Amino acid sequence: MLSYSHEVFFEVATHLSFSKAADILYISQPAITKHIQSLEKHYKVSLFERKGNSVSLTSEGKILLEYVVKGRELQRQLEFDITKQKNLQQAKGSLTLGTSTTISLYVIPPVFSAFHQQYPNIELTLVNRNSENILKALLDHEIDLAITEGRNTITSVKYQFFLTDEVIPVCSAKSDMVKKKNIIPEDLKSIPVALRERGSGTLAAVTEALQKCKISIADLQHKIVLGGTEALKNFLLDDVCLGFLPLRSVARQLKNGELVRLSIAGLQIHRAFYFMQRRGSEADRINQLFIKLATSYYNKKL
């Protein structure tokens, strides 16, 4: 079993920051330093090179990180496999899921609840970042499983389809755009638009759909860029801009009339969400339990 000092080392090595590791583990920075010094004394090597306010792994530190990553995965699987023998529903373990904003806010909460009710001893953690950073977290072993928009060409990741989503153009009910009956893609060049930030899966889906209509993001009058679905939605509620948001995220506001769905001729924005796993971890039992339950949950709702 890995010691707590090895867990501390993993966080410092992953983030290359003693202060970040302290925040994640809820312990003081001097305590972080003490654990690292303990490991360095045990292995009789230096694990980090310190240069001013930055740190980097030594060659010995890189070797230790490689083994700690493997050890954490084996330890996680061992606990699950041992405890599931008598009763799968009482099995112990952990799952750290990384998702993009839309999935985190509007898709995963009920699935987490259903999973927790069925497997109450499996600890669940949700990491919410934009699609670009979720992929990095998966490759850096910060998370066990990911769900994000679209697929990448990286061969070290395996994708499995989860569900589809629609992104729609909306505006506040008080905007003059509500009165426009026939909007065409070309009109977007003269309409004020608020967008999600670069790296967002929503922005990527909008960009791809607009390109099919011979419109680029650079053609739009976008003076406002907001990080996060909720930030963009709340901005649109108080402004007169047009914005593109996932249908799941604005269902309530459309129903109560705060936001209005606009129709733009020829513009359809659909995207697929995928489970992502590191190659070699496809047989992870906890991941598979979660994927099966999540897929079943949304198939039942169709």
Side-chain angles (χ1 to χ4, degrees), residues 158 277-285 287-288 291:
K158 180 183 177 181
Q277 297 180 83
R278 291 181 295 274
R279 290 281 181 186
S281 70
E282 299 94 330
D284 184 296
R285 266 80 70 186
N287 285 1
Q288 291 309 312
I291 290 171

Side-chain angles (χ1 to χ4, degrees), residues 50-91:
R50 298 162 178 81
K51 298 179 181 179
N53 294 326
S54 64
V55 296
S56 60
L57 285 165
T58 62
S59 57
E60 294 84 358
K62 292 176 181 177
I63 292 172
L64 181 58
L65 177 59
E66 182 180 341
Y67 277 92
V68 167
V69 165
K70 293 177 182 177
R72 292 175 87 246
E73 293 179 353
L74 285 172
Q75 184 170 294
R76 175 173 169 267
Q77 285 298 315
L78 173 61
E79 182 177 36
F80 177 76
D81 286 342
I82 288 290
T83 57
K84 78 172 184 178
Q85 294 303 309
K86 292 184 178 180
N87 186 341
L88 178 59
Q89 276 64 46
Q90 295 304 312

Side-chain angles (χ1 to χ4, degrees), residues 92 103 105 110 148 164 172 195 208 290 298:
K92 296 180 180 179
I103 290 287
L105 292 174
T148 190
T164 56
S172 167
L195 296 173
E208 183 179 349
F290 187 85
Y298 278 100

Side-chain angles (χ1 to χ4, degrees), residues 232-281:
L232 178 54
K233 180 170 70 175
N234 289 330
F235 172 80
L236 292 175
L237 286 169
D238 283 324
D239 199 83
V240 294
C241 281
L242 177 150
F244 295 94
L245 284 167
L247 177 58
R248 296 174 189 273
S249 72
V250 294
R252 182 181 301 174
Q253 288 73 26
L254 292 175
K255 186 176 181 179
N256 65 26
E258 292 179 281
L259 291 176
V260 176
R261 178 174 183 169
L262 300 173
S263 177
I264 301 177
L267 183 66
Q268 297 290 326
I269 310 174
H270 292 94
R271 57 184 177 171
F273 288 114
Y274 293 87
F275 293 105
M276 291 195 302
Q277 297 180 83
R278 291 181 295 274
R279 290 281 181 186
S281 70

